[in-house]
Amino acid sequence: MNVVAPFEGIGASVRRKEDFRFLQGRGAYTDDFNRQGQLYAWIVRSPHAHARIKGVDTSAASRMPGVVAVFTGADMAKDNVGGLPCGWQIHNKDGSPMAEPPHPVLALDKVRHVGDPVAVAIAATRQQARDAAEAVGVDYEVLPAAVSMDAALKAGAPQVHDGAPGNLCYDWHIGDKAVVDAAFASAAKVVKLDLVNNRLIPNAMEPRAALGEFDPTTGDYTLHTTSQNPHVIRLLMGANVLHIPESKLRVVAPDVGGGFGSKIYHYAEEAIVTWSAGKLARPVKWTADRTESFMSDAHGRDHVSHTELALDADGKFLGLRVSTLANMGAYLSTFAPCVPTYLYATLLAGVYTTPVIYCEVKAVFTNTVPVDAYRGAGRPEATFLLERLMDVAAQETGIDRVELRRRNFIPTDAFPYQTPVALQYDSGNYHATLDQALKASDWAGFEARRAEAAKRGKLRGIGISTYLEACGIAPSAVVGSLGARAGLYEVGTIRVHPTGSVTVLTGAHSHGQGHETTFCQLVADKLGVPVAQVDIVHGDTAKVPFGMGTYGSRSLAVGGSAMMKAMDKIIAKGKRIAAHLMEADVDDIEFERGIFRVAGTDKTKALVDISVAAYVPHNYPIEELEPGLEETAFYDPKNFTYPGGCHIAEVEICPETGKVSMVNFTAVDDVGRVINPMIVEGQVQGGIAQGIGQALLETCVYDADGQLLSGSMMDYTMPRADDLAPVSVATHTTLCTHNPLGVKGCGEVGAIGSPPAVINAVVDALRDYGVRTLDMPATPSKIWGIINGGRRMAAE
Amino acid sequence: MYDFAYHKPATVADAVKLLADPDAKAISGGHTLIPALKHRLNKPSAVVDLSGIAEMKGIKRVGNAIVIGALTRHAEVATSAEVKAAIPALAYLASHIGDVQVRNRGTLGGSVSNNDPAADYPAAVLGLGATIHTSKRKIAADDFFQGMFTTALEQDEILTAIEFPIPEKAGYAKMKNPASRYVMAGVFVAKTGGAVRVAVNGAGPCVFRQADMEKALAANWSADAVAGVKQSADGLNGDIHGSAEYRAHLVGVMAKRAIAAAG
């Protein structure tokens, strides 16, 4: 009987290998690791948004049961522990570098946000550590706080850092202002809009955790941490903070329960447990509780923008002018400065032919938790701005909102397309994704659905977003010229074992993305090795040669490309071995899915024949070829990748309560070649859930004193299943032209494309109430206020 | 949480003795106390676990009332054939408290004793004009709820059961807080022995009766009757999820829905 193995290569919806352990509760997360003699750390955090530290009294805490040590910022300073570094330097309009104030691991002279770490208590149990932390006496002189960006920029505002006068981190711009101003001067119509992109708190399912270890016999440190990029943590913490050479520092990011960006950054707690482990020569573990996560994980978004669009009489865009304030929080988190600049303003062309664009961005320090990249990072902010502006422009020009978009789309035959804001798009077909989404959502039949809803007393609306994003980050030389202090290539090693199974070492890190399946499919497709015989190793600096980690939808486009390059090397070497074994010329050897063939003959060797020969080189070209079959490749991308597409949201509003219900969501995304359609669908759905969360539910609220009002799940509205709608996800593929897989990335498109579609739908539902500006989230009370206000207006 | 002594008495009398300690806390389903303990917001000397007291369990019909033991879980009330037949609005209310996990753990007595302004049960207790049975006495609902997290219960007094009179009509509607899913504004309406009661939860610092709506409904039992009644925003709760004005508005909307549900 012939058994045909199911196809597992590119394009197959292979079930996720990793889910067998996750669904059985057998994942191994950082907090699951426990060591003999392990101690527990509890961080003393500032209850104040802004205060001078007049003294820290650790004497009572140190004498408490089980307490081994209580450390303060002064103790770390004595050891020459460095501050937490920032990985990106932005320059001001005048060419001077941004303000980059110090970010001590434990606060020294001042605390600058609620949750700022001040001291650490280390004890035999977690409870004892917490008891001791409560007994640490910190003498605070409370200072006035600069909480909102508005307040922080006012003359005479409290200064967050002495080294950042006026609380300004940088005042940056892109584009030629004079040229853009000229375009506005000649415009038939100018449309203006003010927008807020609401501040979000990431809330990965697994809170952050860190376990530091030190081996006094070797001097080796090991850090287990909830990270999206262990090599980056090793580099930043080793080189900048603790001064430990890479060879003496191993960083492991085991199973990680979601990151969404918030686990990219090097956090204080990682340095605290590693340094303390060295001081005490005992393992030290810290695990955040949810309350700590709210006040110590980097937040996301938080932009305030004024924007203007110039159009000619036919509705063609002539120019775009944007002025944005971006909140940095109290300190610069690892990648914070690049988010509102090179991940934001460079996206302002979107899918449109806007010929000239000017954008200026002021980054502001405030007495709040640091803000950094969160799923989409800069691109959701740009997309929300553009796609809200599209609808307002349509309203004010009287041109249909779909037609206005279509009229300004970059034509399908215009690629590669150079935008006025630095990026060059390689491929896309915006008409095709739009057409497909209009059809799938039955856009044409909407008015009947609106009328039917009206009979039920509901206000129904439909909204659209035609978006584009840049991911697959990033070409090292390009980002280097823009201020990045790191390269953004990726590394892949293909280790073909003697009997033909394969281990892949990748510098990408999976924390929900399904790499352990998708990456295996690349090997199955190219080398013909069944998925079951391929294993992915990631997240351990002692195993993987190097890597920059997972964020910016880069794992497949960059990490997968590195694997493809490494497999090319395997095949090239395999051909030479095959040529030797089959006594043929190497140029005559063909390879396809695991079979080496002498061209035009039936002489073949399987990959396993080659691997056996490579590791048991009895009959082997040993004079010209090393034994073994393992290859490593570094892949540095030539360009960003540019996924895009069309999202359509349909909502119903209860006019009595103001509650917005999602009733339908359609996404048609061009993510390039699809390796595993099921995983892509899951990624897009997850992103859309977060986008709907931002649009309707989530927002971080501080009071005027800098206390976090949305400091728990009781007040911060995470999306639940019943907040979402049936989501229809489809893809329309144009291939990326510059990476070997033709892939673009799918991790962030959902969160980028969906918020404006939802808000445009809400505004459409409220069309009788004259809504022009609607800030996220569209909560019931906010919508009721509009409806109630509208009724009052009508009555007057 | 901080250390505390743990007791699990088998009788009400033993529980009362243990609760003579002013720093002791009673625990039933634990849905309020356990989070407070975990956040170290509460430091009791002892936790007295009532769950082993058999006499505080069960649902029975006694004359023209349904008597529900304090330890009865929300899920049991929601699915009880007795409650569904006699007071469907009460079963409905119980079936919409929190989520499945909460309903399988939380208890009637725990919720009512705690008197969280955003809890569901106090609206039914006040709206139905129930009688609270305690280890010492019987208390009318009108005398029981005294303010935010405050009731007529004394330190060593345990709520043992609640006696709900069977109404001719009753209905409940609420708007949930989007984040916590607790009640943002809820209204329980009931007509019992010809008398109309309207109880409002979630909107104010403590469950309260809406006298104007009661008057309007007594004259004309219909959703239209309350449409003209304006709930004042004075003294209502306002927070990041909604102003006092919004909650006042919701009281009117929920009243109409509760009446529609009551039929």
Side-chain angles (χ1 to χ4, degrees):
Chain A
M1 193 177 82
N2 261 338
V3 178
V4 179
F7 177 66
E8 300 179 315
I10 291 173
S13 283
V14 176
R15 287 168 71 183
R16 292 182 12 139
K17 289 174 81 172
E18 49 268 71
D19 283 352
F20 291 96
R21 73 173 187 278
F22 293 150
L23 293 174
Q24 294 178 79
R26 290 180 179 179
Y29 298 87
T30 296
D31 192 52
D32 293 327
F33 291 82
N34 291 296
R35 304 298 191 214
Q36 194 153 24
Q38 174 179 298
L39 300 169
Y40 294 82
W42 193 275
I43 312 285
V44 178
R45 296 183 185 277
S46 170
H48 306 294
H50 196 196
R52 197 172 308 287
I53 299 173
K54 293 165 75 181
V56 183
D57 183 356
T58 61
S59 54
S62 302
R63 290 192 301 269
M64 291 182 67
V67 175
V68 175
V70 181
F71 295 120
T72 66
D75 295 319
M76 294 190 105
K78 262 182 257 161
D79 257 18
N80 289 319
V81 171
L84 298 173
C86 179
W88 204 295
Q89 187 181 48
I90 296 295
H91 286 80
N92 293 304
K93 286 172 181 167
D94 65 6
S96 60
M98 67 183 188
E100 197 171 349
H103 185 178
V105 174
L106 290 170
L108 290 166
D109 54 334
K110 282 213 304 190
V111 287
R112 295 181 172 87
H113 66 87
V114 171
D116 204 356
V118 177
V120 58
I122 297 167
T125 71
R126 198 160 179 254
Q127 289 300 314
Q128 288 171 329
R130 189 172 184 179
D131 288 342
E134 285 181 7
V136 171
V138 186
D139 186 6
Y140 292 108
E141 177 195 341
V142 178
L143 303 170
V147 180
S148 70
M149 288 194 280
D150 256 6
L153 290 173
K154 282 211 174 88
Q159 295 296 292
V160 181
H161 295 279
D162 294 340
N167 294 318
L168 195 64
C169 175
Y170 55 76
D171 182 6
W172 172 92
H173 68 164
I174 189 169
D176 187 332
K177 188 165 187 303
V179 170
V180 176
D181 289 348
F184 273 80
S186 70
K189 173 91 187 159
V190 174
V191 175
K192 299 178 182 183
L193 187 65
D194 292 313
L195 303 112
V196 174
N197 204 285
N198 46 327
R199 183 178 178 121
L200 303 177
I201 303 178
N203 276 305
M205 195 181 291
E206 179 203 19
R208 287 190 300 114
L211 168 62
E213 295 171 79
F214 177 66
D215 183 343
T217 64
T218 61
D220 289 346
Y221 289 85
T222 303
L223 170 68
H224 281 70
T225 181
T226 48
S227 177
Q228 299 177 215
N229 36 223
H231 287 88
V232 175
I233 302 305
R234 183 181 67 169
L235 181 65
L236 294 175
M237 185 174 80
N240 295 76
V241 186
L242 299 182
H243 315 299
I244 303 168
E246 280 101 327
S247 57
K248 288 286 175 200
L249 176 57
R250 175 184 175 198
V251 178
V252 184
D255 285 333
V256 174
F260 313 112
S262 71
K263 292 173 181 165
I264 297 172
Y265 324 117
H266 176 35
Y267 285 99
E269 296 84 358
E270 294 169 325
I272 290 169
V273 298
T274 308
W275 176 78
S276 301
K279 293 294 278 185
L280 303 171
R282 288 178 71 176
V284 178
K285 180 193 274 187
W286 169 82
T287 305
D289 66 11
R290 188 60 66 179
T291 307
E292 278 185 291
S293 301
F294 270 88
M295 62 171 94
S296 68
D297 294 4
H299 293 177
R301 316 278 193 260
D302 206 348
H303 283 195
V304 176
S305 296
H306 174 71
T307 177
E308 296 172 309
L309 177 68
L311 302 94
D312 72 11
D314 297 326
K316 285 284 282 182
F317 305 154
L318 300 174
L320 178 70
R321 206 156 47 190
V322 176
S323 174
T324 294
L325 300 180
N327 201 337
M328 295 285 103
Y331 302 99
L332 290 179
S333 174
T334 310
F335 288 111
C338 78
V339 176
T341 48
Y342 294 107
L343 292 179
Y344 165 69
T346 52
L347 269 294
L348 288 172
V351 292
Y352 308 110
T353 54
T354 316
V356 292
I357 296 173
Y358 177 76
C359 177
E360 56 183 351
V361 179
K362 285 191 172 79
V364 185
F365 287 112
T366 60
N367 290 117
T368 63
V369 171
V371 179
D372 206 327
Y374 170 62
R375 201 172 193 170
R379 292 150 288 163
E381 294 91 319
T383 303
F384 184 70
L385 182 155
L386 279 179
E387 292 305 301
R388 282 292 300 126
L389 195 55
M390 289 306 115
D391 269 27
V392 173
Q395 215 171 14
E396 297 190 354
T397 57
I399 301 170
D400 173 79
R401 51 191 161 152
V402 173
E403 169 57 23
L404 181 71
R405 286 173 166 87
R406 223 186 258 288
R407 214 173 273 182
N408 288 283
F409 273 170
I410 295 163
T412 307
D413 60 5
F415 295 96
Y417 179 82
Q418 178 64 49
T419 76
V421 272
L423 300 178
Q424 190 186 72
Y425 305 162
D426 62 331
S427 67
N429 186 340
Y430 311 128
H431 288 283
T433 44
L434 172 65
D435 290 338
Q436 198 176 329
L438 290 174
K439 188 156 178 267
S441 66
D442 186 21
W443 179 273
F446 174 73
E447 287 308 326
R449 297 196 291 282
R450 193 200 299 267
E452 184 277 329
K455 281 188 199 146
R456 289 183 281 112
K458 304 285 189 204
L459 305 170
R460 191 159 173 136
I462 195 165
I464 192 167
S465 150
T466 49
Y467 77 95
L468 169 138
E469 64 131 330
C471 63
I473 59 175
S476 294
V478 173
V479 295
S481 72
L482 302 179
R485 287 162 169 161
L488 284 168
Y489 49 81
E490 200 42 84
V491 186
T493 296
I494 303 292
R495 180 177 294 159
V496 182
H497 297 287
T499 59
S501 65
V502 172
T503 297
V504 179
L505 312 178
T506 173
H509 184 277
S510 188
H511 33 278
Q513 291 84 350
H515 295 174
E516 290 173 48
T517 306
T518 305
F519 289 176
C520 289
Q521 289 181 253
L522 301 184
V523 178
D525 199 87
K526 188 145 176 132
L527 298 185
V529 180
V531 163
Q533 288 181 39
V534 185
D535 276 286
I536 307 297
V537 172
H538 65 95
D540 186 343
T541 61
K543 293 178 181 169
V544 178
F546 202 74
M548 296 308 295
T550 286
Y551 40 82
S553 303
R554 69 190 302 277
S555 302
L556 193 57
V558 191
S561 294
M563 290 169 54
M564 296 300 280
K565 266 185 78 178
M567 284 192 278
D568 285 338
K569 293 186 187 178
I570 292 281
I571 292 165
K573 183 172 182 179
K575 281 183 177 175
R576 295 176 67 183
I577 300 169
H580 175 88
L581 293 177
M582 294 190 282
E583 296 175 338
D585 193 297
V586 68
D587 294 335
D588 292 334
I589 304 293
E590 296 169 340
F591 178 80
E592 196 186 346
R593 289 222 172 105
I595 303 297
F596 294 87
R597 178 185 303 274
V598 180
T601 77
D602 57 359
K603 283 170 81 176
T604 62
K605 287 286 176 188
L607 180 64
V608 64
D609 301 321
I610 304 303
S611 60
V612 167
Y615 287 97
V616 189
H618 296 166
N619 175 19
Y620 194 80
I622 201 81
E623 296 297 324
E624 56 198 69
L625 212 55
E626 293 171 11
L629 199 54
E630 171 172 329
E631 297 290 346
T632 294
F634 282 56
Y635 176 81
D636 201 273
K638 297 180 185 72
N639 191 353
F640 293 84
T641 58
Y642 301 97
C646 178
H647 286 186
I648 294 177
E650 214 164 312
V651 302
E652 276 187 11
I653 297 174
C654 168
E656 288 187 318
T657 61
K659 185 174 162 57
V660 179
S661 300
M662 293 297 309
V663 290
N664 224 331
F665 198 99
T666 305
V668 178
D669 301 298
D670 178 358
V671 298
R673 191 187 306 284
V674 173
I675 309 300
N676 183 319
M678 180 195 69
I679 289 178
V680 168
E681 186 175 354
Q683 282 280 317
V684 174
Q685 284 197 349
I688 289 169
Q690 283 175 311
I692 292 172
Q694 170 164 27
L696 297 182
L697 305 164
E698 300 179 46
T699 196
C700 170
V701 185
Y702 281 96
D703 73 10
D705 296 328
Q707 293 293 328
L708 184 57
L709 297 181
S710 56
S712 78
M713 297 290 183
M714 292 292 281
D715 286 303
Y716 187 83
T717 313
M718 291 296 287
R720 291 164 161 92
D722 65 357
D723 291 315
L724 307 176
V727 174
S728 143
V729 175
T731 53
H732 175 94
T733 300
T734 64
L735 296 179
C736 170
T737 62
H738 58 77
N739 67 43
L741 284 161
V743 297
K744 297 185 177 180
C746 69
E748 295 164 294
V749 294
I752 292 167
S754 60
V758 175
I759 293 298
N760 285 339
V762 174
V763 170
D764 181 53
L766 296 171
R767 61 183 182 168
D768 293 340
Y769 295 90
V771 179
R772 196 173 181 286
T773 305
L774 178 62
D775 293 333
M776 301 183 287
T779 59
S781 71
K782 191 181 286 174
I783 299 301
W784 173 75
I786 289 166
I787 290 172
N788 195 39
R791 280 215 180 116
R792 273 206 295 269
M793 272 196 314
E796 273 160 12
Chain B
M1 52 184 79
Y2 299 109
D3 279 348
F4 51 79
Y6 172 82
H7 305 290
K8 191 172 181 183
T11 66
V12 171
D14 286 348
V16 166
K17 270 182 224 153
L18 291 162
L19 286 167
D21 171 0
D23 294 325
K25 284 269 176 200
I27 191 167
S28 175
H31 269 65
T32 302
L33 186 60
I34 297 282
L37 293 176
K38 286 172 85 167
H39 280 103
R40 297 191 159 198
L41 298 171
N42 215 315
K43 196 177 180 178
S45 57
V47 167
V48 181
D49 183 352
L50 305 178
S51 66
I53 304 175
E55 60 196 286
M56 285 171 64
K57 292 178 184 168
I59 299 171
K60 56 182 188 252
R61 180 164 178 156
V62 180
N64 207 25
I66 296 287
V67 180
I68 304 178
L71 292 175
T72 309
R73 301 192 191 281
H74 310 328
E76 296 174 273
V77 175
T79 56
S80 158
E82 210 103 58
V83 177
K84 283 205 267 189
I87 321 177
L90 183 60
Y92 169 85
L93 176 147
S95 74
H96 284 74
I97 300 172
D99 55 23
V100 172
Q101 289 88 339
V102 168
R103 293 194 289 276
N104 281 321
R105 188 76 211 153
T107 67
L108 172 67
S111 170
V112 174
S113 302
N114 189 49
N115 193 21
D116 187 321
D120 288 275
Y121 267 133
V125 172
L126 190 63
L128 288 165
T131 303
I132 286 98
H133 296 205
T134 80
S135 51
K136 290 185 175 170
R137 54 186 168 147
K138 291 181 180 179
I139 310 173
D142 285 324
D143 302 325
F144 184 80
F145 301 105
Q146 299 189 338
M148 193 186 287
F149 298 107
T150 309
T151 69
L153 289 174
E154 292 162 12
Q155 162 64 29
D156 62 345
E157 184 174 19
I158 299 170
L159 191 163
T160 56
I162 299 181
E163 181 182 343
F164 294 95
I166 297 170
E168 287 108 69
K169 289 178 174 188
Y172 179 61
K174 66 173 169 180
M175 177 78 178
K176 293 178 190 174
N177 176 308
S180 70
R181 300 275 171 108
Y182 274 81
V183 184
M184 194 135 99
V187 174
F188 196 102
V189 298
K191 186 189 258 189
T192 314
V196 174
R197 295 171 69 98
V198 178
V200 177
N201 58 343
C206 179
V207 63
F208 64 91
R209 286 176 66 183
Q210 223 295 356
D212 295 340
M213 287 184 184
E214 290 181 355
K215 206 178 295 170
L217 288 174
N220 171 17
W221 179 271
S222 74
D224 289 344
V226 297
V229 178
K230 191 170 157 49
Q231 168 66 46
S232 162
D234 290 349
L236 298 192
N237 302 330
D239 58 22
I240 61 173
H241 304 288
S243 62
E245 289 71 25
Y246 179 55
R247 282 181 168 81
H249 163 78
L250 287 177
V251 169
V253 176
M254 295 305 135
K256 283 191 277 184
R257 290 182 184 182
I259 293 157

